[in-house]
Amino acid sequence: MKLFLMTLGCDKNRVDAEEMLTELDKNGFVFVADESIAEVIVINTCCFIDPAKEESIEAILEMAKYKDDGACKYLIVTGCMAQRYKDEILKEIQEVDAVVGTTSFDYLVQVIISLEQKKERQCIINSNNRELERPVDRILTTPTHYAYLKIAEGCSKCCSYCAIPSIRGRYRSFKMESLIAQAKSMAQKGVKEIIIIAQETTIYGMDLYKEKRLHILLNEISNIDGIDRIRLLYSYPEEIYDELIECMMKNPKICHYMDMPIQHCNDEILKLMGRKIDKRGIIDVVDKLRKAMPDIVLRTSLITGFPTESEEQHRELLGFLEDIELDHVGVFTYSMEEGTKAATLDHQIDEDTKLRRQEELMLTQKKMLNRINQKWVGKTLICIIDGYLADDNIYVARSYADSPDVDSLIFVGSDRVLNSGDKIRVKIEKYSDYDFIATEVV
């Protein structure tokens, strides 16, 4: 059968989709890029915040039209929205033939077979704490030179604004042996950069081994032939530990780059959010990282308009951004999620105020870009080629300072013919907003 799979949301969802594709491929499905000719359409959904829910619903409704105007026999919804809203999906969207939860996608083939045999709608939602067997070798949907390695499932932090623990279950580290085997498989396929992900990466191993073992895992992956670069995302500041910092300092394959979500800086708001660190602690962690690695690049995410947030607390966050000078910042407006503690708080902030505060935070960060970007001008960096713009005869590259899809790009010309994944030595000449222009250093 011809199958089209659409995946929405984060890179953790992407890994789930890749594992679905792997199982489907083993069972003879043919993947197509044109949804109009697909007999089976699978939508791997996200529902982390309201905009993600809306995007997922719109995608389901868009794909539903192919039940009448295309070849689609079965429309299947998987992922977070399926896990959380199975009854609503089946009730409200009659075109949906099956829902498959976040820990049930190993049943996907069986679901399609059941649809063929029984002609009845299917609903497979297992416990969100169920352990899944992870395939060593999986189909990758990223460019051939980088891939994501998901090292754990779920989250046990239970921040007051977040529904992830109720959707994805408690934190469950994957066995180190299986992760190393996956990384070796990636390297054999030509992957040069491995990006470490989980809801939280920094406590990897605590549940399995009763101690943090992320630094050990990183060192093991760095020993794999072909892997040139390892990047670390989703590192909670309060969990960053000395052995991890030392590992990053000493191992040349580990990027001096960290994605460290802090969400806010005001102590009262952080406490209401259920965060396990205060403003002083955040500053201390940043100072510690910069002292150990003066060239470290830090990315963070912030939430504005959290319930009870005052103008004074908002201004404190604006000042904090200016003082701490982080390299990459994403700002999200607070989204009230049902079933979370924050949704029950009084003094919810209106949408107009949230949007204004978001804009002010982003403008503050943009004003600082001049200072942040200027430090790169004149520097020589080793970059990885991500692509080529034929019309402009220019290559698109990334240094250690930038993660795919979310950070800056470096545009560089070369007289050589380069392929994605090739290394190039460049000198940064100038910048334009978020991106850089460079020349090749021969």
Side-chain angles (χ1 to χ4, degrees):
M1 298 180 77
K2 295 176 183 176
L3 184 140
F4 174 82
L5 188 147
M6 172 191 290
T7 191
L8 304 168
C10 65
D11 39 40
K12 298 175 284 293
N13 246 23
R14 177 195 284 269
V15 173
D16 290 348
E18 291 175 346
E19 295 187 4
M20 291 183 214
L21 289 172
T22 302
E23 189 64 24
L24 290 161
D25 183 59
K26 287 179 183 176
N27 285 272
F29 287 85
V30 177
F31 305 132
V32 295
D34 181 355
E35 56 267 41
S36 69
I37 64 170
E39 297 161 273
V40 181
I41 295 178
V42 179
I43 307 171
N44 191 31
T45 59
C46 175
C47 65
F48 178 51
I49 54 178
D50 280 341
K53 291 180 198 172
E54 291 167 9
E55 183 185 23
S56 292
I57 292 168
E58 288 171 6
I60 295 168
L61 295 175
E62 177 68 18
M63 293 300 108
K65 72 182 183 183
Y66 293 109
K67 296 292 288 288
D68 294 323
D69 299 334
C72 182
K73 294 172 66 177
Y74 307 120
L75 178 61
I76 301 172
V77 177
T78 68
C80 291
M81 182 164 274
Q83 184 77 27
R84 193 177 188 190
Y85 297 112
K86 62 181 186 300
D87 295 332
E88 291 87 341
I89 292 170
L90 290 171
K91 179 182 178 182
E92 300 295 334
I93 310 177
Q94 292 301 310
E95 292 89 345
V96 172
D97 297 286
V99 291
V100 179
T102 55
T103 60
S104 307
F105 53 77
D106 53 336
Y107 284 89
L108 188 53
V109 172
Q110 180 181 320
V111 164
I112 298 170
I113 292 171
S114 294
L115 288 172
E116 281 278 83
Q117 293 176 345
K118 299 178 182 178
K119 307 299 180 184
E120 296 175 354
R121 301 174 94 190
Q122 302 288 306
C123 179
I124 307 292
I125 307 292
N126 287 301
S127 164
N128 57 12
N129 287 314
R130 178 173 176 251
E131 301 282 353
L132 275 177
E133 192 68 33
R134 301 282 167 174
V136 169
D137 183 25
R138 73 172 194 262
I139 292 174
L140 300 178
T141 59
T142 48
T144 54
H145 59 288
Y146 71 82
Y148 295 95
L149 182 66
K150 185 159 81 166
I151 64 173
E153 181 59 273
C155 184
S156 300
K157 287 293 188 190
C158 297
C159 298
S160 67
Y161 53 84
C162 184
I164 291 297
S166 65
I167 299 169
R168 290 277 180 173
R170 58 177 168 76
Y171 192 91
R172 308 182 301 285
S173 301
F174 301 143
K175 292 180 181 177
M176 191 174 297
E177 298 80 12
S178 70
L179 294 173
I180 294 167
Q182 282 187 45
K184 286 180 178 177
S185 173
M186 291 173 182
Q188 289 167 1
K189 292 181 176 182
V191 170
K192 293 178 170 63
E193 178 178 352
I194 285 186
I195 305 169
I196 306 294
I197 58 171
Q199 296 298 335
E200 176 184 359
T201 56
T202 21
I203 60 168
Y204 171 75
M206 281 296 294
D207 53 323
L208 280 182
Y209 310 112
K210 310 309 175 190
E211 63 179 6
K212 295 177 181 177
R213 290 197 179 181
L214 180 58
H215 62 295
I216 298 173
L217 176 64
L218 295 178
N219 280 327
E220 290 291 335
I221 293 171
S222 73
N223 291 328
I224 298 171
D225 289 340
I227 301 300
D228 295 332
R229 185 187 279 180
I230 304 168
R231 187 179 302 280
L232 192 57
L233 302 188
Y234 312 120
S235 305
Y236 278 46
E238 70 271 19
E239 300 292 356
I240 294 169
Y241 57 104
D242 290 346
E243 291 91 343
L244 176 60
I245 295 173
E246 185 177 0
C247 169
M248 293 179 70
M249 286 173 56
K250 292 182 176 180
N251 193 320
K253 289 189 177 182
I254 302 173
C255 295
H256 287 183
Y257 174 104
M258 189 173 279
D259 175 273
M260 186 177 68
I262 60 176
Q263 313 304 9
H264 213 283
C265 73
N266 176 266
D267 287 347
E268 187 177 340
I269 295 296
L270 287 168
K271 187 175 181 180
L272 284 173
M273 285 180 166
R275 304 293 288 182
K276 307 300 188 292
I277 195 168
D278 59 13
K279 183 178 182 178
R280 183 70 254 171
I282 293 169
I283 294 170
D284 289 345
V285 169
V286 170
D287 287 346
K288 190 172 189 177
L289 288 167
R290 285 174 169 165
K291 184 177 180 181
M293 295 167 280
D295 62 341
I296 193 168
V297 169
L298 296 175
R299 155 170 280 282
T300 199
S301 57
L302 303 173
I303 295 174
T304 188
F306 188 81
T308 78
E309 183 190 46
S310 66
E311 281 298 318
E312 184 180 357
Q313 290 167 332
H314 170 61
R315 287 195 296 273
E316 181 182 350
L317 185 54
L318 288 170
F320 177 80
L321 259 190
E322 291 180 335
D323 292 339
I324 204 163
E325 201 170 296
L326 300 171
D327 300 271
H328 304 296
V329 177
V331 183
F332 300 89
T333 57
Y334 167 74
S335 175
M336 184 193 289
E337 296 302 311
E338 59 185 289
T340 62
K341 187 179 290 187
T344 67
L345 292 173
D346 293 331
H347 307 295
Q348 297 285 331
I349 308 298
D350 66 86
E351 289 302 315
D352 287 344
T353 301
K354 291 180 194 176
L355 291 170
R356 172 181 57 81
R357 291 177 180 176
Q358 180 188 42
E359 184 179 10
E360 289 174 358
L361 286 162
M362 291 308 298
L363 283 174
T364 297
Q365 180 67 16
K366 192 168 185 178
K367 287 176 186 175
M368 295 164 57
L369 276 181
N370 222 20
R371 205 159 61 232
I372 293 168
N373 288 344
Q374 188 61 43
K375 69 183 180 183
W376 295 104
V377 175
K379 287 194 174 182
T380 300
L381 301 169
I382 303 296
C383 295
I384 287 181
I385 297 295
D386 271 353
Y388 176 66
L389 303 177
D391 290 343
D392 300 312
N393 189 29
I394 199 165
Y395 289 96
V396 182
R398 278 184 304 108
S399 74
Y400 80 92
D402 302 298
S403 192
D405 298 327
V406 292
D407 293 331
S408 303
L409 298 173
I410 297 173
F411 298 99
V412 57
S414 177
D415 294 331
R416 298 183 292 148
V417 175
L418 299 169
N419 296 309
S420 293
D422 287 348
K423 287 183 180 179
I424 184 173
R425 189 178 181 87
V426 308
K427 181 182 178 182
I428 303 296
E429 302 290 351
K430 58 183 179 179
Y431 58 88
S432 174
D433 286 338
Y434 297 97
D435 299 324
F436 296 88
I437 308 297
T439 54
E440 183 176 13
V441 177
V442 180

